[in-house]
Amino acid sequence: NNIAKERQALGLTQEQLAKLFGWRQSRISNYENGTRQPGLPECRLIVEKLNELVAFALLIAFSRQKARF
């Protein structure tokens, strides 16, 4: 599942990801195990939020690397 892969790559639990959206953990679990399918608006929201988190993580990593030099 792509949601699970991205969530895990960011080091987030289902609960933490759910809180970012104001959802229950069970909703994320259902999306990840295929019990429930997100609609287009939810897909867009998930992609946007995960992209923001990745960009933030990269910014932090870059800042730390730059500080070493």
Side-chain angles (χ1 to χ4, degrees):
N1 180 293
N2 290 335
I3 296 172
K5 286 180 201 174
E6 295 301 323
R7 175 183 59 76
Q8 292 166 352
L10 290 166
L12 297 173
T13 65
Q14 289 180 346
E15 183 72 30
Q16 290 169 324
L17 185 61
K19 284 184 180 183
L20 291 172
F21 299 107
W23 298 341
R24 292 187 174 149
Q25 175 272 331
S26 60
R27 186 172 182 174
I28 299 296
S29 177
N30 289 338
Y31 287 160
E32 289 185 0
N33 67 30
T35 303
R36 182 176 179 178
Q37 297 296 318
L40 186 57
E42 289 84 8
C43 287
R44 286 182 178 156
L45 186 63
I46 291 167
V47 168
E48 288 172 5
K49 185 60 72 176
L50 290 176
N51 282 340
E52 288 173 15
L53 292 171
V54 168
F56 185 69
L58 288 172
L59 180 62
I60 289 172
F62 179 74
S63 295
R64 287 181 180 164
Q65 185 179 20
K66 194 173 180 182
R68 291 183 198 163
F69 295 105

